[in-house]
Amino acid sequence: MAQLGTLNGGHRGKDWQKTQDDLERSRNKIQVALKAAKERSKKNINLADDIDTKFNQLQVLGIKLMDILRESGLDQRHDWIGLTEKMCQLLVPLSAATPFMSSSEERDIRQKDLLDRQKEMMELTRLIGRKLLFEGKHNQAVPAAVQSLKFSIDVHGLNSTHLVPSYLILAEANIGLGKLTQADEYLAQAEWTVLKSPDAKDSVRSKLFRNIGLLHAAKGDYENALRMLAEDIYHASCEWDSNHIRTSGGYFHMANVFFRQNKMDTADTLYTQVVDIWHNFLKDAVERKRVYEEELAAVGPFGKTQDTEKYLDEAQEAEAIQMLSAVFDIRDQSSKRQVNAISKICHTLSKLYYILDDIPRSKDYGRKAKSLGDHSKETEESTSLLNFLQFLEEGH
């Protein structure tokens, strides 16, 4: 998982509060690195050297993806700056030989450097693909997932379960694009890979069943969609816990299926579970972040250089925003508006945006939660909200 407060870690953290000048310097730095990588990739390479050939392929793929992100305007957004900077770091030349080093030693060092970068590119392109999916950018998610798949094959071979996450991103992107036949093909490949691997982790099985469920839902086959999403929740619960944020996606998609069937009571129960899971997670994350900020204030900016607590990676951020915003919209637009339920989702979104250092949005949702909730009686939820809002207003 990524860390808050570190630009190179790819996380929003303190980037949210960077000035436009800081962001512009970061963009210029990325442009310079990208230009240098393009120039290197066009130079003649030693085709007899498989390491040079594979690194050139890595550069070309990285450049292609960064161009796609730039053409989509994502390079103008602070939450993508860290990811693109990290991509640039993987495109710099491989480790060079040192004096008195034998040719075999040099080759070993370069081979290890290449493999490390292929692994990092596999994870980074997969992360980018997932983030794009949660942001609804299905077209852009496809090339990211294709690259992730290529790097997975380079690192793990053709039959590894490490390929499954990339197949699933491709499947979900094609579902979003309405290309259900192609999605079916990717899911069949992912399922076959898992079936051949009896030791496949529950985390992999959970993601597989979730995507099969999404495909059934897209086809209008709600019975099989619910059956697959139940399998997703089961395997996610085995891997993590039934109340873990990684399990919440299964509840969310299951609620969406019941919502489409107009079974509103069941859907609302599941949406409530999603909100509760995130609310509890964010309650703990907010407290840890507050403690860190108090310690930072006590020792000064040079006492601590970064927040060492781990919260969410970029894709989880986008997933949380997607799910919680969707639940808010559904409840806010319902003919039977339950103000206390809307107040709690606003409180949860307020905590989420505080974690992401978007203080203005955090305050907006906090104030909305306060205006909607019934605070005439002192409850744990009411006290928690009022204390958190007071902290926001006084400390930020």
Side-chain angles (χ1 to χ4, degrees):
M1 285 189 182
Q3 296 179 172
L4 282 172
T6 55
L7 177 60
N8 290 338
H11 224 71
R12 293 186 182 196
K14 297 304 179 184
D15 293 350
W16 199 282
Q17 300 172 11
K18 288 181 74 174
T19 65
Q20 282 301 114
D21 287 344
D22 291 333
L23 289 173
E24 190 60 31
R25 279 194 289 271
S26 293
R27 294 189 190 103
N28 290 338
K29 177 181 175 183
I30 290 168
Q31 289 174 3
V32 170
L34 184 58
K35 181 180 178 181
K38 287 182 177 180
E39 290 175 353
R40 285 193 301 272
S41 69
K42 292 176 182 177
K43 292 181 179 179
N44 292 328
I45 60 169
N46 181 6
L47 295 177
D49 188 330
D50 59 321
I51 296 177
D52 274 352
T53 301
K54 289 179 180 178
F55 176 64
N56 189 66
Q57 292 171 348
L58 182 148
Q59 284 190 116
V60 170
L61 290 173
I63 291 166
K64 182 179 178 180
L65 183 56
M66 289 183 68
D67 282 340
I68 290 171
L69 297 178
R70 192 185 70 255
E71 289 166 6
S72 303
L74 296 175
D75 63 323
Q76 300 300 311
R77 286 172 41 184
H78 52 270
D79 54 323
W80 281 93
I81 291 292
L83 288 172
T84 49
E85 283 192 332
K86 189 169 185 179
M87 178 77 74
C88 287
Q89 292 170 7
L90 297 175
L91 304 182
V92 300
L94 293 173
S95 300
T98 58
F100 310 111
M101 182 180 289
S102 69
S103 58
S104 61
E105 289 175 323
E106 178 191 359
R107 179 177 175 80
D108 288 344
I109 289 174
R110 291 171 64 243
Q111 181 68 60
K112 181 180 182 304
D113 191 6
L114 174 65
L115 181 60
D116 288 342
R117 295 199 201 190
Q118 288 173 327
K119 289 178 180 178
E120 289 189 60
M121 284 291 281
M122 177 188 73
E123 295 295 340
L124 182 59
T125 50
R126 186 177 298 166
L127 177 61
I128 289 172
R130 288 174 56 226
K131 180 173 171 61
L132 288 166
L133 279 183
F134 290 126
E135 293 185 356
K137 296 178 173 63
H138 301 101
N139 269 318
Q140 294 90 335
V142 171
V146 168
Q147 290 194 18
S148 174
L149 181 61
K150 288 179 179 177
F151 289 120
S152 298
I153 292 170
D154 285 341
V155 174
H156 298 288
L158 283 167
N159 299 313
S160 171
T161 55
H162 287 89
L163 277 60
V164 172
S166 301
Y167 285 132
L168 297 182
I169 296 172
L170 284 165
E172 191 169 344
N174 279 282
I175 292 172
L177 294 169
K179 299 177 180 179
L180 302 188
T181 301
Q182 287 179 261
D184 217 339
E185 291 173 359
Y186 284 121
L187 284 175
Q189 185 64 53
E191 189 171 17
W192 176 244
T193 303
V194 170
L195 286 173
K196 291 191 298 181
S197 306
D199 58 342
K201 294 181 178 180
D202 282 306
S203 58
V204 174
R205 296 179 186 276
S206 166
K207 293 174 183 176
L208 173 63
F209 284 120
R210 181 173 302 178
N211 278 267
I212 296 175
L214 291 175
L215 180 60
H216 283 306
K219 293 178 177 179
D221 184 356
Y222 297 136
E223 181 179 350
N224 278 315
L226 291 172
R227 185 167 60 85
M228 291 295 99
L229 290 169
E231 289 284 352
D232 160 27
I233 293 169
Y234 168 74
H235 287 285
S237 299
C238 290
E239 181 72 20
W240 296 291
D241 184 82
S242 60
N243 291 314
H244 195 279
I245 58 171
R246 292 182 183 270
T247 311
S248 65
Y251 297 122
F252 175 73
H253 292 298
M254 184 176 280
N256 288 342
V257 172
F258 283 116
F259 184 85
R260 293 178 194 176
Q261 294 178 303
N262 205 31
K263 297 179 180 179
M264 304 309 295
D265 288 344
T266 306
D268 187 65
T269 299
L270 289 165
Y271 285 136
T272 297
Q273 189 157 0
V274 172
V275 174
D276 287 345
I277 288 172
W278 278 96
H279 189 82
N280 291 333
F281 169 81
L282 291 167
K283 178 182 177 181
D284 178 63
V286 164
E287 186 56 35
R288 299 202 315 266
K289 183 171 168 59
R290 286 175 61 175
V291 169
Y292 167 78
E293 290 184 342
E294 289 172 0
E295 292 175 350
L296 184 63
V299 300
F302 301 107
K304 281 192 172 185
T305 58
Q306 64 180 30
D307 186 349
T308 56
E309 289 287 358
K310 295 180 180 179
Y311 301 101
L312 303 167
D313 67 26
E314 291 83 355
Q316 288 173 320
E317 289 179 1
E319 181 183 27
I321 291 171
Q322 179 210 38
M323 289 194 296
L324 295 175
S325 297
V327 175
F328 169 76
D329 289 340
I330 289 169
R331 289 186 165 167
D332 192 44
Q333 298 167 14
S334 173
S335 58
K336 299 178 180 178
R337 293 179 85 248
Q338 302 176 33
V339 292
N340 284 336
I342 300 174
S343 175
K344 186 167 185 178
I345 183 68
C346 287
H347 185 189
T348 306
L349 280 162
S350 179
K351 288 179 179 293
L352 174 63
Y353 281 113
Y354 168 71
I355 289 298
L356 304 184
D357 281 329
D358 188 346
I359 303 304
R361 282 192 186 179
S362 180
K363 287 182 178 180
D364 286 345
Y365 276 110
R367 290 164 185 159
K368 188 172 182 65
K370 181 181 178 182
S371 69
L372 289 168
D374 178 9
H375 307 295
S376 58
K377 296 180 181 179
E378 189 173 317
T379 63
E380 182 179 351
E381 167 62 16
S382 176
T383 302
S384 173
L385 169 61
L386 295 176
N387 287 341
F388 179 62
L389 190 55
Q390 181 181 3
F391 162 74
L392 283 178
E393 300 289 3
E394 292 179 354
H396 297 80

